[in-house]
């Protein structure tokens, strides 16, 4: 539902954002459709916000006045719990999430905690930067969780918004990348972005991967990925929800293979990835919609009719 509201005022410690662009992510669809249990009666989705700070709440860093910033899924973490103390604020049990616990960026204005906005270079085009803030950062975290090192062989299972950004980082690190995905258009994009090998689900890579990241929310694909990594290899699952992982013979995991999940992101991930993205010129394929077309963008995401990451422009 699209509605008109008063412009939000920043509370103490917050900044107000003039939204320039906001990416549309599968999680937004889950919020809009109630697949994620609602945490408040109404909420504005959107957690890949590129904005200019146009007002400061009390105590917000004055250096943020007028700054171009990004807002990610992580709206706030407590900073004091054991997870936060370990530097794993993505696992903070009190964490709040943008566009879920707080109103997000499917709007022309929003507020955000000043300590959780990520400074962005001004010359980064807003529409192109938006998908970097969730799809990009989390894809990057997945490569880190998988332990990917320079020159290693990487398998990507599924090739949507996140994987098409992750492959650019992996190629920059000199990795040989194989991509397994259902869509022919996605396989073509993977080849255009430097994949050494592409295959349909069920295909085995010519040589075992050192690391693999599973983006497809399918337990069967997890087993397929495990079968395609070498002994000592790692499979990281970058999915919020997934159907059951089927029973498998122990030999699939034996040989010190590791299976891990990826749980969204930290501010450090966002800062590191965005700096890298600017340095090496990570490019997001985007399809831009006017804010008023938000429901159309969500519908097309749901029907898998988007050819690239959807971005809303107010
Ligand atoms: Zn997201
Ligand atoms: Zn915490």
């Amino acid at each position: 539902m699209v509605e008109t509201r008063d412009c939000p005022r920043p509370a103490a410690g917050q900044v107000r954002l003039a939204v320039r662009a906001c990416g549309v992510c599968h999680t937004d669809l889950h919020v809009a459709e109630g697949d994620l249990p609602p945490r408040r009666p109404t909420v504005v989705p959107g957690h890949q916000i590129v904005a200019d700070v146009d007002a400061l709440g009390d105590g917000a860093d004055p250096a943020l006045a007028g700054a171009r910033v990004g807002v990610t899924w992580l709206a706030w973490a407590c900073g004091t719990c054991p997870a936060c103390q370990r530097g794993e604020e993505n696992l903070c049990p009190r964490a709040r999430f943008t566009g879920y616990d707080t109103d997000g960026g499917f709007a022309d204005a929003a507020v955000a905690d000043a300590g959780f906005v990520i400074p962005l270079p001004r010359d980064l085009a807003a529409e192109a930067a938006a998908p970097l803030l969730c799809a990009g950062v989390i894809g990057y975290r997945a490569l880190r969780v998988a332990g990917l090192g320079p020159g290693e062989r990487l398998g990507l299972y599924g090739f949507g918004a996140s994987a098409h950004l992750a492959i650019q980082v992996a190629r920059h690190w000199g990795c040989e990348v194989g991509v397994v995905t259902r869509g022919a258009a996605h396989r073509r994009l993977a080849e255009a972005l430097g994949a050494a090998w592409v295959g349909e689900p069920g295909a085995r890579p010519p040589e075992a991967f050192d690391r693999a990241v599973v983006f497809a929310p399918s337990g069967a694909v997890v087993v397929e990925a495990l079968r395609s990594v070498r002994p000592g290899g790692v499979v990281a699952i970058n999915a919020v929800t997934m159907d059951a992982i089927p029973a498998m013979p122990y030999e699939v995991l034996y040989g010190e293979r590791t299976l891990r999940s990826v749980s969204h992101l930290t501010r450090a991930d966002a800062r590191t990835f965005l700096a890298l993205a600017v340095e090496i010129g990570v490019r997001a394929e985007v399809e831009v919609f006017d804010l008023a077309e938000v429901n159309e963008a969500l519908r097309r995401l749901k029907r898998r009719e988007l050819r690239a990451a959807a971005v809303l422009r107010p």
Side-chain angles (χ1 to χ4, degrees):
M1 185 174 70
V2 178
E3 63 178 24
T4 303
R5 292 188 180 179
D6 291 337
C7 193
R9 236 179 273 168
Q14 289 184 329
V15 293
R16 188 174 63 201
L17 308 167
V19 178
R20 301 301 179 216
C22 187
V24 182
C25 169
H26 262 108
T27 302
D28 299 313
L29 188 61
H30 294 315
V31 169
E33 300 210 311
D35 302 332
L36 276 173
R39 299 215 201 165
R40 19 185 292 180
T42 65
V43 71
V44 178
H47 58 272
Q48 306 182 80
I49 310 174
V50 177
D52 294 321
V53 173
D54 72 353
L56 300 178
D58 287 344
D61 181 357
L64 286 170
R68 169 68 49 101
V69 297
V71 178
T72 71
W73 176 240
L74 186 67
W76 181 84
C78 79
T80 55
C81 73
C84 284
Q85 294 285 308
R86 288 194 305 267
E88 296 173 332
E89 61 187 6
N90 58 316
L91 303 179
C92 174
R94 295 172 61 203
R96 292 201 288 264
F97 303 114
T98 310
Y100 186 38
D101 297 299
T102 67
D103 281 333
F106 291 2
D108 52 11
V111 292
D113 192 292
F116 284 78
V117 299
I118 310 295
L120 296 179
R122 196 159 279 282
D123 49 0
L124 208 56
E127 289 93 2
L132 302 181
L133 290 163
C134 183
V137 179
I138 298 180
Y140 170 75
R141 183 173 179 87
L143 299 182
R144 299 270 309 272
V145 165
L148 184 67
E152 287 192 319
R153 266 189 305 279
L154 170 71
L156 300 176
Y157 288 79
F159 201 74
S162 206
H164 95 281
L165 299 171
I167 192 176
Q168 298 177 47
V169 174
R171 293 291 298 135
H172 174 73
W173 288 343
C175 296
E176 188 179 299
V177 184
V179 173
V180 177
T181 188
R182 216 166 23 187
H186 285 169
R187 287 197 295 275
R188 280 195 298 275
L189 178 60
E191 282 176 327
L193 291 172
W197 174 83
V198 297
E200 294 186 47
R204 281 297 178 76
E207 216 175 331
F209 298 130
D210 297 299
R211 323 273 161 184
V213 179
V214 175
F215 296 94
S218 156
V221 173
V222 172
V223 178
E224 199 185 308
L226 270 173
R227 288 184 185 276
S228 298
V229 297
R230 62 162 168 80
V234 180
V235 174
I237 303 173
N238 182 350
V240 179
T241 58
M242 170 162 287
D243 57 16
I245 298 174
M248 60 186 177
Y250 176 54
E251 71 199 32
V252 175
L253 187 63
Y254 189 65
E256 301 200 336
R257 292 177 181 84
T258 302
L259 180 60
R260 295 190 60 177
S261 66
V262 181
S263 291
H264 53 98
L265 57 95
T266 66
R267 281 171 287 179
D269 293 326
R271 279 189 228 110
T272 310
F273 171 70
L274 284 155
L276 182 66
V278 170
E279 180 197 325
I280 70 176
V282 171
R283 277 179 49 90
E285 299 278 327
V286 299
E287 220 169 313
V288 178
F289 294 80
D290 286 336
L291 179 57
E293 299 172 310
V294 53
N295 288 326
E296 176 59 19
L298 287 168
R299 240 189 317 269
R300 290 183 50 192
L301 178 67
K302 183 173 182 176
R303 294 186 191 143
R304 301 184 180 280
E305 290 170 2
L306 293 168
R307 53 174 172 73
V311 173
L312 301 175
R313 183 173 44 198

